Amino acid sequence: MRLSVLDLVPVRADQTSADALAATVALAQTADRLGFTRYWVAEHHNMPAVGATSPPVVLAYLAAQTARVRLGSGGVMLPNHAPLAVAEQFALLEAAAPGRIDLGIGRAPGSDPVTSWALRGPAGRDDRDIENFPDYLDDVAALMSRDGAAVQLRTGDYRLRATPAAVGVPRLWLLGSSMYSARLAAAKGLPYVFAHHFSGQGTEEALAYYRENFTPSAVCVEPTTFLTVNAVVADTRDEALALILPNLQLMARLRTGEPLGPVALVEDAADAELPVAQQQIVESGLRRAVVGAPAEAAEQVRALAEKFAVDEVMISPVASAHRGVDPATAPGRERTCDLLAKELL
């Protein structure tokens, strides 16, 4: 089995942004050393608990401090960006770290409507960018290719290419958590990742549709897929439960529209009293996460891989920390990777 990591660069209540980035570097180096296949970073905006706002910037930072693990976006939210800008950023990353770059692309805005409006700027970009997502996806692929993309002008074709031209091309992946993304990935012949960690709903249906309706392409000749899952592994199940609770409470606040802060420390989460609706969200998130001591957590990962017929699982190590831990570290996140690697790699 292959294991990979999804990192949102979480920011705890005891951390500055610099601390969170330092912890992410250490986690990426741990994944690199342990033999994880990929290390992806997400794109979210205007969220105090998330430090991953610009995947290409974080990936460039990590490429300089790792040696072999594939680095990628999980993902770039394409409606927020011009296709040429994305193509050039990832062509540059591929030139800097040849053969190690994945470009995972998603359709969601990665934030609230006001922040999305601000990201797209005052020049007239709007929700048509979401409607045009399939075309933008084609544009990014074409712009990164050797031949580039043709722009029709009255004077003839004008050729656009992502520069500087890399020897290779970043591996393109489509990300999603719905049937829309499964249909689009199948139709375009793209590798596909289902965000099981985010919703946990419809995973089996989406992956089955993708496999059954896949159309081979120049990018991918056969269905290629894996899924993501939140994970916390510790020496005991009780410790793993304590470490994951802050993340689960944060997601409960997000889903019920409450103001968000940074990720709570373990002691503060243990003392928190949640409304019934939020507690139900916590319990639902716990049921679909990988949580426990090493042997039971590894069995949960194997069961996920078998149920959804994938040979790679991407874990999002979401452990918080106890009060008094060095803010520039994330020992629970590193320990999750270390313990799973010993069981599965």
Side-chain angles (χ1 to χ4, degrees):
M1 177 184 293
R2 294 192 298 272
L3 285 177
S4 294
V5 172
L6 174 65
D7 185 6
L8 275 64
V9 192
V11 183
R12 301 192 310 261
D14 63 335
Q15 289 180 312
T16 64
S17 295
D19 292 331
L21 284 169
T24 274
V25 170
L27 184 63
Q29 291 173 333
T30 296
D32 196 29
R33 172 176 54 82
L34 292 172
F36 280 67
T37 299
R38 351 175 171 266
Y39 193 98
W40 284 8
V41 295
E43 177 186 341
H44 293 283
H45 300 280
N46 199 32
M47 301 176 80
V50 178
T53 55
S54 177
V57 173
V58 179
L59 294 175
Y61 191 56
L62 297 179
Q65 301 179 80
T66 55
R68 50 147 299 278
V69 69
R70 292 190 67 89
L71 300 168
S73 54
V76 165
M77 300 295 103
L78 190 52
N80 295 335
H81 311 282
L84 179 58
V86 173
E88 288 196 328
Q89 289 162 359
F90 279 80
L92 184 56
L93 286 168
E94 177 67 23
R100 293 179 59 201
I101 302 300
D102 293 329
L103 171 51
I105 290 180
R107 185 175 69 119
S111 191
D112 60 86
V114 175
T115 304
S116 297
W117 169 84
L119 279 167
R120 296 173 195 174
R125 301 194 74 198
D126 52 31
D127 284 345
R128 285 174 293 184
D129 294 310
I130 296 174
E131 297 169 10
N132 293 334
F133 176 74
D135 294 333
Y136 291 169
L137 195 59
D138 291 341
D139 291 342
V140 171
L143 288 161
M144 291 193 304
S145 70
R146 186 181 303 274
D147 294 334
V151 178
Q152 303 294 323
L153 302 177
R154 282 180 292 182
T155 55
D157 284 355
Y158 184 89
R159 189 64 57 173
L160 277 173
R161 297 178 182 85
T163 54
V167 174
V169 176
R171 184 74 186 275
L172 189 62
W173 294 78
L174 184 61
L175 282 55
S177 57
S178 68
M179 287 302 297
Y180 172 90
S181 55
R183 294 188 186 99
L184 187 60
K188 291 188 176 295
L190 293 174
Y192 178 51
V193 181
F194 192 88
H196 184 74
H197 77 286
F198 179 72
S199 69
Q201 300 294 318
T203 308
E204 194 165 13
E205 180 186 8
L207 294 182
Y209 180 94
Y210 168 74
R211 293 188 181 101
E212 292 167 7
N213 296 277
F214 180 84
T215 302
S217 71
V219 175
C220 196
V221 297
E222 62 183 5
T224 303
T225 189
F226 61 86
L227 55 82
T228 59
V229 62
N230 288 332
V232 175
V233 187
D235 292 329
T236 67
R237 179 170 177 80
D238 285 346
E239 175 63 3
L241 288 169
L243 287 167
I244 198 174
L245 185 59
N247 173 268
L248 295 174
Q249 291 180 351
L250 180 72
M251 289 305 300
R253 289 195 294 274
L254 174 67
R255 290 173 184 259
T256 54
E258 282 199 9
L260 300 179
V263 180
L265 296 174
V266 168
E267 291 80 3
D268 296 327
D271 292 338
E273 294 185 7
L274 274 62
V276 173
Q278 290 187 9
Q279 185 59 39
Q280 290 173 341
I281 294 171
V282 166
E283 292 168 1
S284 174
L286 183 60
R287 285 193 296 270
R288 65 173 183 271
V290 167
V291 185
E296 66 175 319
E299 185 53 39
Q300 292 168 27
V301 173
R302 291 190 192 98
L304 268 177
E306 181 178 353
K307 178 178 180 179
F308 297 113
V310 295
D311 56 12
E312 179 177 342
V313 173
M314 177 172 276
I315 64 165
S316 180
V318 295
S320 183
H322 290 274
R323 187 171 288 112
V325 163
D326 180 352
T329 67
R333 302 179 73 214
E334 291 186 43
R335 187 76 172 142
T336 292
C337 292
D338 184 56
L339 293 174
L340 274 182
K342 287 176 179 175
E343 295 284 335
L344 296 169
L345 297 181

